[in-house]
């Protein structure tokens, strides 16, 4: 709590665990229904899209529906409130569900894109709305090439500007919170260690956090949707 109250610049990295309490399955949980026989790593790749564009398009359409039916949970809302309670908070997310923006976070870096957007496979033009007929993936309205989700697939480069902003925040913050991520996916997973090596205090909030006691390293074994509001109440008792 003291580190949170004293922090001048908090940087946060979130993963799928933060959206779990909004009903969005995490990446490592077994997929359900039609998708049970696939692992996300098999579907979230350019090769999968080349091999079976309709299947990959329909997987994202299914996830878009899940997200549309979901709402930001108390963890998302607490992070949006925290941004207004500390001098500066940079929220870096691996999630593509847009729930941090819907919760009100503004200094937000979406490292892996956002499934509410699609882009033309040929020209790269990004669309936030598109017509969907029998042909899936739908054709680009401008050139007719297939549209694809505007997310970063495995084997694809992260958006350079977003990555540089994330590295800058991690290396200059005085407190880094890593929340609801298994820390398996690179290069996002390097951010907490970069912050820690740069002298920041590091708090890892996860349901199955490994125990490791080091100075400046806090391991908080809890669900984000319950812990984050409690952290804010304890650190900023006067804040409404
Ligand atoms: C790239 C968008 C380079 C799509 C995603 C080293 C360096 C560079 C690359 C690599 C490298 N090693 C390996 C690679 C390749 C690869 C990679 O990291 N593979 C992994 C699997 C080993 N990386 C890449 O390909 C990246 N590209 O580096 O390009 C390059 C170089 C040259 C030429 C070309 C390219 C691109 C990675 C981005 C992939 N896209 N998403 C989509 O979503 O469909 S990543 C995907 O995984 C999601 O974004 C997800 O967020 C992310 C990470 O998963 P987590 O968020 O951590 O979710 P997970 O389910 O794993 O864990 C949830 C955690 O929450 C658990 O720990 C659980 O305990 C916890 N939890 C659950 N409930 C709660 C909770 N905690 C708290 N409260 C709760 N209630």
């Amino acid at each position: 709590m003291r580190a949170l109250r004293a922090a001048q610049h908090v940087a946060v990295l979130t993963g799928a665990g933060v959206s779990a309490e909004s009903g969005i399955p995490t990446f490592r949980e077994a997929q359900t229904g039609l998708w049970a026989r696939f692992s996300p790593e098999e579907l979230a790749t350019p090769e999968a899209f080349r091999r079976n564009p309709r299947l990959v398009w329909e997987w994202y359409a299914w996830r878009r529906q899940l997200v549309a039916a979901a709402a930001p949970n108390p963890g998302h809302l607490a992070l949006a409130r925290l941004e207004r309670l500390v001098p500066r908070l940079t929220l870096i997310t691996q999630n593509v569900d847009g729930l941090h923006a819907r919760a009100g976070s503004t200094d937000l870096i979406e490292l892996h894109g956002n499934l509410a957007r699609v882009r033309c496979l040929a020209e790269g033009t990004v669309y936030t709305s598109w017509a969907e007929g029998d042909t899936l993936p739908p054709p680009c309205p401008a050139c007719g090439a297939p549209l694809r989700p505007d997310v970063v697939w495995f084997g694809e480069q992260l958006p350079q500007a977003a990555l540089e902003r994330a590295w800058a925040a991690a290396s200059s913050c005085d407190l880094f919170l890593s929340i609801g991520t298994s820390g398996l996916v690179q290069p996002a997973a390097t951010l907490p260690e970069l912050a820690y090596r740069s002298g920041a205090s590091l708090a890892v909030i996860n349901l199955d956090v490994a125990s490791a006691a080091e100075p400046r390293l806090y391991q908080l074994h809890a669900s984000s949707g319950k812990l984050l509001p409690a952290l804010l109440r304890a650190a900023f008792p006067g804040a409404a």
Side-chain angles (χ1 to χ4, degrees):
M1 249 92 65
R2 206 168 355 95
L4 193 53
R5 246 199 310 275
Q8 291 308 303
H9 180 191
V10 180
V12 183
L13 174 68
T14 61
V18 163
S19 295
E21 289 158 88
S22 297
I24 311 281
T26 67
F27 244 62
R28 303 289 169 261
E29 273 167 353
Q31 296 216 92
T32 54
L34 172 63
W35 310 108
R37 65 185 191 282
F38 298 104
S39 89
E41 278 84 359
E42 287 173 286
L43 292 171
T45 67
E47 296 72 31
F49 188 71
R50 252 195 303 282
R51 201 173 42 246
N52 193 336
R54 186 180 182 101
L55 176 80
V56 173
W57 178 272
E58 287 178 338
W59 180 50
Y60 281 91
W62 172 68
R63 291 171 64 192
R64 231 174 261 121
Q65 282 175 345
L66 277 185
V67 167
N73 67 57
H76 295 108
L77 297 169
L79 288 170
R81 269 187 53 61
L82 185 59
E83 184 178 345
R84 294 190 294 279
L85 292 170
V86 296
R88 186 178 167 207
L89 184 145
T90 307
L91 180 46
I92 307 157
T93 189
Q94 300 172 90
N95 300 339
V96 296
D97 57 33
L99 288 176
H100 284 304
R102 281 173 55 190
S105 290
T106 55
D107 188 349
L108 180 60
I109 302 172
E110 292 183 320
L111 282 183
H112 296 159
N114 188 313
L115 53 66
R117 298 190 302 264
V118 298
R119 67 171 190 258
C120 172
L121 193 64
E123 302 164 321
T125 316
V126 173
Y127 298 95
T128 52
S129 64
W130 58 89
E132 236 171 88
D134 298 339
T135 313
L136 292 179
C140 166
C143 76
L147 293 175
R148 57 157 285 177
D150 190 27
V151 299
V152 180
W153 280 330
F154 289 99
E156 293 186 321
Q157 294 274 15
L158 275 63
Q160 197 53 32
L163 203 45
E164 280 164 15
R165 277 180 62 206
W167 275 327
S171 45
S172 63
C173 68
D174 42 5
L175 174 63
F176 194 97
L177 309 179
S178 170
I179 309 173
T181 179
S182 56
L184 294 173
V185 172
Q186 296 290 354
T190 57
L191 291 166
E193 13 182 301
L194 169 61
Y196 190 67
R197 272 206 320 276
S198 308
S201 294
L202 169 62
V204 176
I205 299 171
N206 195 306
L207 270 186
D208 62 2
V209 75
S211 66
E214 270 189 54
R216 292 191 295 123
L217 176 55
Y218 306 94
Q219 307 271 5
L220 306 168
H221 182 152
S223 85
S224 51
K226 294 177 184 58
L227 179 74
L228 287 167
L231 261 184
L232 259 67
R233 280 194 300 275
F236 304 96

